[in-house]
Amino acid sequence: MTATQPSRLTSPSREPDGGTRGYFSKLAQERPDIAMCRATTLVARTIDEELSGHRLTVAQHLVLKMLDDVGPCSQQELSEQLRIDRSVMVGCIDGLEDSGLVRRERHPRDRRAYAVTLTPEAGPALAEAEGGVPRLLDRAFGALTAAERRTLARLVGKILEVN
């Protein structure tokens, strides 16, 4: 090693054991796409852990919530509004139907189509899942203040073109 070549052990970007310090912090600041992917993974993991005791997936929870809020919908409407791939939506509805939480009926406005409708058993299941949302939000976004959470929601909405 010459005097002009920095030692790997003394280089400010490396730790003595060969690891790097703060690389992800720097990467996340330079690449919001990478930061968003990692943040999404963290939030998804938190949601999965929170919902695991409720026997619902995230998609199933969202379907129950939308049906409760707007009434019977076609699978296509659910898929479009919730931004869930149609092939995933089929499995989601099948699972909810197998659990007795929804049923498929003829659509009231289009007799050729089917509408997904909540069963009476869906109410308690949805209430239980919704009861965990505040805890989930605190776990997933606990590092943010209320104002920062609102800003994050606004910015993500802008990315998703819903603002």
Side-chain angles (χ1 to χ4, degrees), residues 4 7 10 16 23 38 40-41 56 60-61 80 87 102 109 129:
T4 59
S7 163
T10 60
Y23 180 77
R38 294 302 176 257
T40 300
T41 300
L56 291 175
Q60 290 172 334
H61 180 193
E80 289 171 1
S87 62
V102 301
R109 294 182 302 275

Side-chain angles (χ1 to χ4, degrees), residues 10-27:
T10 60
S11 172
S13 64
R14 294 248 178 217
E15 294 176 18
D17 65 0
T20 58
R21 284 180 291 168
Y23 180 77
F24 185 76
S25 296
K26 181 177 182 270
L27 180 64

Side-chain angles (χ1 to χ4, degrees), residues 9-162:
L9 295 177
T10 60
S11 172
S13 64
R14 294 248 178 217
E15 294 176 18
D17 65 0
T20 58
R21 284 180 291 168
Y23 180 77
F24 185 76
S25 296
K26 181 177 182 270
L27 180 64
Q29 290 173 5
E30 294 172 356
R31 296 280 309 271
D33 58 325
I34 300 297
M36 184 68 81
C37 285
R38 294 302 176 257
T40 300
T41 300
L42 175 72
V43 172
R45 189 175 301 130
T46 303
I47 291 169
D48 288 343
E49 289 169 3
E50 191 64 42
L51 289 178
S52 67
H54 303 288
R55 298 180 305 276
L56 291 175
T57 66
V58 174
Q60 290 172 334
H61 180 193
L62 292 176
V63 166
L64 292 180
K65 184 165 176 46
M66 182 172 165
L67 292 174
D68 188 57
D69 288 345
V70 303
C73 295
S74 70
Q75 284 183 198
Q76 181 177 348
E77 290 172 302
L78 290 164
S79 179
E80 289 171 1
Q81 289 298 313
L82 296 173
R83 297 181 178 175
I84 297 172
D85 187 83
R86 291 170 73 170
S87 62
V88 173
M89 184 58 72
V90 171
C92 175
I93 301 300
D94 288 347
L96 288 168
E97 194 171 41
D98 292 346
S99 297
L101 301 177
V102 301
R103 65 180 168 268
R104 290 175 172 104
E105 300 175 336
R106 287 288 180 193
H107 199 290
R109 294 182 302 275
D110 182 356
R111 301 304 293 166
R112 297 167 295 162
Y114 284 89
V116 180
T117 307
L118 294 175
T119 65
E121 293 79 15
L126 179 58
E128 185 180 344
E130 285 290 295
V133 170
R135 183 175 53 250
L136 178 150
L137 293 174
D138 285 342
R139 285 181 60 200
F141 302 108
L144 302 178
T145 65
E148 288 169 332
R149 289 182 191 191
R150 287 189 299 274
T151 299
L152 177 64
R154 183 179 54 77
L155 292 173
V156 170
K158 192 172 184 178
I159 290 169
L160 297 173
E161 298 178 351
V162 295

